[in-house]
Every structure is written in C-alpha cells, then in structure tokens.
Amino acid sequence: MARKPHLMLIPFAAQGHVAPMMKLAYNLVHHGIKVTFVNTLSMHEKIMSALPQKLEEVQSLLSLVSIPELLESDTPGKDMDEAAENASRFLQTQLQNLIQNIDDDGREVTHVIADVSIGWALKVANQMGIKAVGFIPYGLGNFVFILHVSKLMETGIIDANGVIKEDSICLSKDIPAWDTQNLLWRYPFDEEVQKFLFRHYFSNILQDVKCCNTILANSFYQLETAACNLIPNILPIGPLLSRDVSGAFAGNLWMEDSSCLSWLDQQCTDSVIYAAFGSTVFCSQEQLDELAIGFEITGRPFLWVVRSDFSKETAAKLPDGFIERVGNYGKIVEWAPQEKVLAHPSIACFFSHCGWNSTMEGVSMGVPFLCWPYIVDQFHNRDNICKTWKVGVEVIANENGIVKRDEIKNKVEKLVSDEDIKANSLKLKEIAGKNMRESGSSFMNFKSFIDKIEE
C-alpha cells in the first residue's frame, strides 16, 4: 500500500517567495494533502504576528514550522560569498534534522517542494532519498534565461559576475530580450550586491534543479507559451491565488487592512488608482513627495499602500497638509488584501513595482498596469506587461532617478484612456480564469501533479 503523501514546502525567505508557495500549500491541503510549511525562524515569527486569527480551518493538514537561520552576528568579518555559503551549510543541517525528527502521526516526508532559488533545500531532499520538486515563483522567461547562463558564460557572453558583454541577448522572438537594464539579478543601487546575487543565487540553479523530475510554476501556458516550451519537466499551475481561501491566509508579513474594501465600495466604477509597491521597495523623501503630490494632482480617488518602512529616511513623512487635502478621495493603508482590491469594480489601474505576484494578480483581475520596476525580475516583468501582453505603460524616472509628479499624472491619464490596453487586460483575465477551471491547462497540470504524488 502506497504511503500517504506528506509534502514539505520550503520558500526563499522573502514575502514575494513565501506568498505564492503558501497559496500552493492551501491548494494542496484543499485536495487532502498533508503539508508542512518551513520558514526560517524570523520569517515564521513575522508571518504568525501578521495573522488576524488562528489557522483553524486547515490546521489538521497544514503545519507551519521553522528552522533557525545563521545570523550575521554569527559570521563576523565574513565577505558576502563566504557568509552565504556558511548560511547555506547551516540551513542544510537544520532542514535535515527537521526532516529526520519530524513526528506527525508516523507520516514521513515523501516530497520536498523547494523554491529554485534555494538549491540547498533540493540538495537535502536528494541526499535523503526524498523526491524533490522545484518551484518557480517568478516569470518563466527569466527561468529560461537562467537555464542558459552556463552556456552564455562558456561562450563569454556573460562573465563570472553576471555582466553581459553584448548589447542584448534574445533567446526567442516571443520573449523580451535581456540587456544590462533588465537582468534577473539587477540591483541598480549596489554593483557588488548585484554581482553577489548572480554568483550565489542564479549561476548554479541549472545544476540545482537537475534532481527535480517536476518543476511547478506560478504561471500559465497561454501567458508564457514560448518560455514553457523551452523548459523541461515544467508544470505551470498558475495563477495561484488566495482569494478563495477560507479563514486566515498565512503568507503575509504585514497584517492586511480590510477597511480599504468598504472605502472602495463608496467609489465609482473604474475610478480608483491602486498603488502598491511590494515588500522591498524603498524611496527617498523626495520620491515620497513626488508620489504623494502626483496622486493628488490626478484628482482621481486613490488607494495607496505605504509600509511603515517604505522610506529609506527614518524621519521621512508625507507632505504637510497632504492627508487633509486628499481626505475626500485618498486612502492610505500599510498593507492591503491585494487580490480583493484588484478584483473590486472601482479599480481603474494598478501602479505597481511589477513583482511577479503582483503581475499575476493584476493579470488575473484584468487590471491595466502603471509600471515602476525596482530590482531583479521586475524589469523583465515590465517588458512583458508593456511590450508582449500590452496591458500597461511605464513611468520614466528623470536623470536623478526620480519619478516626478507630472510624469505620474500624465501616465495615469494615458493609461486609463487607452481602450486597447483595457481590452487586452480583460482578454488576459478571461484566459487566466479558464486555466484555473476544470479542463483548463493549469487545472489539469495541478491534477496530474496530485495524481503523481499519490501513486
């Protein structure tokens, strides 16, 4: 008799990686699959503190556990590469101990689903004889590029630090080309960090995923057809969404402020600018001022997500009198129930950093994008949004890297008046919805995965 499956899910320790894998966890639990979700201790504590209620609905099948991480203070004087290697070895040991000692009614871990960004977790599964499954939390075009990195390095097109030696690299006419401005590991604020990201997280992924017979992706075939056709063993199962989850969703680092939903109920259809820039975007006081005044001078109602750590400057604050002036048409929250917001009929457009989760959610709800990418994969996501799918426009920063108020106002007006973009957005929404219904491509891919792990 086959063992009942017990899946251990392990994301990279960041909001944009935890959230889609947690959505996957809920889908698995919905199909009666036992899931143990593993975060680092600090990430686990943040998620638990952001929960508005206990996970009573799915507690019998979903366990949230943690492993300690190697703190920076434990590796004094180490350079980034050495510290990362030490942390990787430490986490491997902690994960192995967790798997060996886990006591869940005698149900051993049968599969490990790990973010492709953390090869150490896939290695542990492989070493312990547990079936390893990769999970891609970002766009598949970028994953195709990663799969070609070693060949591009062998031919000298990319150097050991991830620097492109040609003007651009095109792997398919249906996938936007890459140049120095839209690399997956791009970090424009610190060249050394950018080199580190390439060396530690991206140059070895091809080798790390070779032990995976299956790779799951938060995407759908019709959205990234060319990329899907270039990836072996790929199962697109997206869009992964949380809006159908009953009870608390354990994938946020901040508690959602649902008061914005009743505020949206009071706004006219297709009128509201929704602005949310993810969990990692930071801005200066000057940029904060330009965003605020930019929203004000549009004269449109706006819902703006401003995290407590949104500004790089500790003393940063919104412009004097701003809250009073926009009180009749502006709403600011620290974190929003984004899928519910985007699905609301009052939303006209989504001013976004173009993180992949936000991209998938906006596409799924048929909302046009105003694009302001910040780091890593967000630049290529912008290219897909604006050039490939044609469901958005981009704001352009000035020579000092600041997006000015008039640029925001003008691009909002351009976006909301573009009927072609609206039509394209609604078409993608329809395609995304069909994928998740019975007989849809993503639905069938997920069903085949369930059948496979239950064999």
Side-chain angles (χ1 to χ4, degrees):
M1 181 176 178
R3 291 182 299 169
K4 286 187 176 182
H6 177 185
L7 276 57
M8 181 170 280
L9 274 58
I10 311 164
F12 179 80
Q15 171 74 71
H17 294 248
V18 170
M21 192 169 277
M22 184 60 75
K23 294 172 186 178
L24 171 60
Y26 278 86
N27 282 331
L28 290 166
V29 166
H30 180 71
H31 284 77
I33 305 296
K34 172 63 185 172
V35 173
T36 297
F37 199 96
V38 183
N39 276 304
T40 59
L41 179 58
S42 60
M43 185 65 64
H44 177 79
E45 290 175 343
K46 290 176 182 177
I47 286 170
M48 298 307 291
S49 65
L51 277 173
Q53 62 195 73
K54 292 182 179 180
L55 297 173
E56 295 173 352
E57 296 278 341
V58 294
Q59 202 166 23
S60 62
L61 287 175
L62 176 60
S63 299
L64 306 184
V65 302
S66 65
I67 54 177
E69 63 254 74
L70 192 64
L71 303 176
E72 290 182 13
S73 57
D74 296 329
T75 56
K78 305 289 186 184
D79 64 26
M80 287 190 292
D81 289 287
E82 188 175 356
E85 288 300 322
N86 289 342
S88 176
R89 285 192 293 269
F90 180 81
L91 289 167
Q92 285 185 59
T93 301
Q94 296 300 320
L95 179 60
Q96 186 171 352
N97 291 340
L98 175 65
I99 293 173
Q100 289 174 336
N101 297 320
I102 199 164
D103 182 13
D104 199 331
D105 299 326
R107 295 174 69 171
E108 297 178 348
V109 175
T110 58
H111 300 74
V112 166
I113 304 179
D115 193 312
V116 294
S117 302
I118 51 171
W120 56 265
L122 295 170
K123 290 176 184 175
V124 168
N126 196 37
Q127 291 165 0
M128 299 183 72
I130 299 171
K131 294 177 181 177
V133 178
F135 179 76
I136 305 172
Y138 45 81
L140 294 182
N142 275 316
F143 190 72
V144 168
F145 188 67
I146 288 171
L147 295 182
H148 285 78
V149 162
S150 58
K151 290 183 179 179
L152 294 169
M153 291 177 71
E154 289 172 7
T155 57
I157 296 174
I158 295 180
D159 70 13
N161 289 313
V163 177
I164 292 181
K165 299 299 184 180
E166 297 188 356
D167 291 338
S168 65
I169 297 173
C170 182
L171 299 177
S172 166
K173 65 180 179 63
D174 297 314
I175 303 174
W178 289 265
D179 57 29
T180 56
Q181 300 304 306
N182 63 354
L183 292 170
L184 179 56
W185 48 89
R186 187 183 175 209
Y187 193 84
F189 315 101
D190 191 323
E191 185 176 339
E192 291 306 310
V193 170
Q194 178 168 305
K195 292 176 181 178
F196 165 76
L197 289 173
F198 174 75
R199 292 193 304 268
H200 189 70
Y201 290 110
F202 298 111
S203 61
N204 298 317
I205 286 180
L206 174 60
Q207 190 65 35
D208 292 337
V209 299
K210 284 184 177 179
C211 64
C212 302
N213 292 323
T214 302
I215 301 176
L216 304 176
N218 184 22
S219 187
F220 53 97
Y221 182 76
Q222 292 87 340
L223 187 72
E224 299 187 275
T225 304
C228 287
N229 291 337
L230 294 172
I231 304 173
N233 305 323
I234 190 70
L235 276 183
I237 57 170
L240 292 170
L241 302 173
S242 65
R243 61 181 175 179
D244 297 325
V245 171
S246 58
F249 175 68
N252 293 314
L253 304 187
W254 291 268
M255 188 175 292
E256 294 176 342
D257 184 345
S258 296
S259 68
C260 59
L261 297 176
S262 56
W263 180 85
L264 287 172
D265 290 340
Q266 303 169 32
Q267 311 307 316
C268 297
T269 300
D270 291 332
S271 67
V272 177
I273 305 165
Y274 173 56
F277 307 115
S279 60
T280 59
V281 172
F282 300 97
C283 70
S284 64
Q285 178 67 66
E286 181 182 2
Q287 184 63 82
L288 188 65
D289 290 344
E290 293 299 323
L291 286 168
I293 303 304
F295 294 137
E296 181 179 356
I297 64 177
T298 65
R300 285 181 164 270
F302 65 89
L303 170 60
W304 184 12
V305 178
V306 182
R307 305 185 322 270
S308 56
D309 61 348
F310 183 56
S311 176
K312 292 182 290 188
E313 301 170 20
T314 54
K317 61 179 183 177
L318 294 168
D320 290 341
F322 171 73
I323 296 296
E324 292 76 17
R325 294 195 301 273
V326 301
N328 292 330
Y329 63 97
K331 174 78 171 174
I332 296 175
V333 295
E334 185 172 0
W335 200 250
Q338 183 159 286
E339 289 179 27
K340 293 177 182 178
V341 167
L342 290 170
H344 199 283
S346 69
I347 298 298
C349 65
F350 182 13
F351 191 5
S352 172
H353 66 308
C354 305
W356 188 249
N357 289 311
S358 291
T359 299
M360 289 298 291
E361 290 162 3
V363 163
S364 299
M365 310 307 168
V367 180
F369 287 83
L370 188 60
C371 300
W372 185 33
Y374 181 71
I375 53 173
V376 293
D377 66 321
Q378 298 161 13
F379 300 98
H380 201 257
N381 298 342
R382 169 207 59 197
D383 291 347
N384 271 316
I385 290 167
C386 298
K387 299 175 183 177
T388 306
W389 310 326
K390 296 181 171 58
V391 293
V393 298
E394 177 188 8
V395 293
I396 305 297
N398 65 11
E399 63 277 6
N400 297 316
I402 300 296
V403 177
K404 302 292 287 185
R405 61 192 70 181
D406 289 336
E407 171 70 2
I408 294 169
K409 178 179 183 295
N410 293 338
K411 289 296 174 64
V412 166
E413 292 175 352
K414 178 180 179 180
L415 180 62
V416 298
S417 63
D418 193 313
E419 295 300 324
D420 289 336
I421 286 179
K422 288 182 183 178
N424 292 339
S425 300
L426 292 175
K427 183 179 179 180
L428 271 188
K429 175 185 178 180
E430 181 181 1
I431 295 170
K434 285 181 178 179
N435 266 276
M436 297 307 294
R437 293 193 286 271
E438 285 193 36
S439 77
S441 173
S442 292
F443 179 91
M444 297 305 295
N445 284 341
F446 189 73
K447 184 177 183 299
S448 70
F449 177 69
I450 294 294
D451 292 342
K452 186 176 182 179
I453 64 177
E454 290 184 329
E455 290 177 351

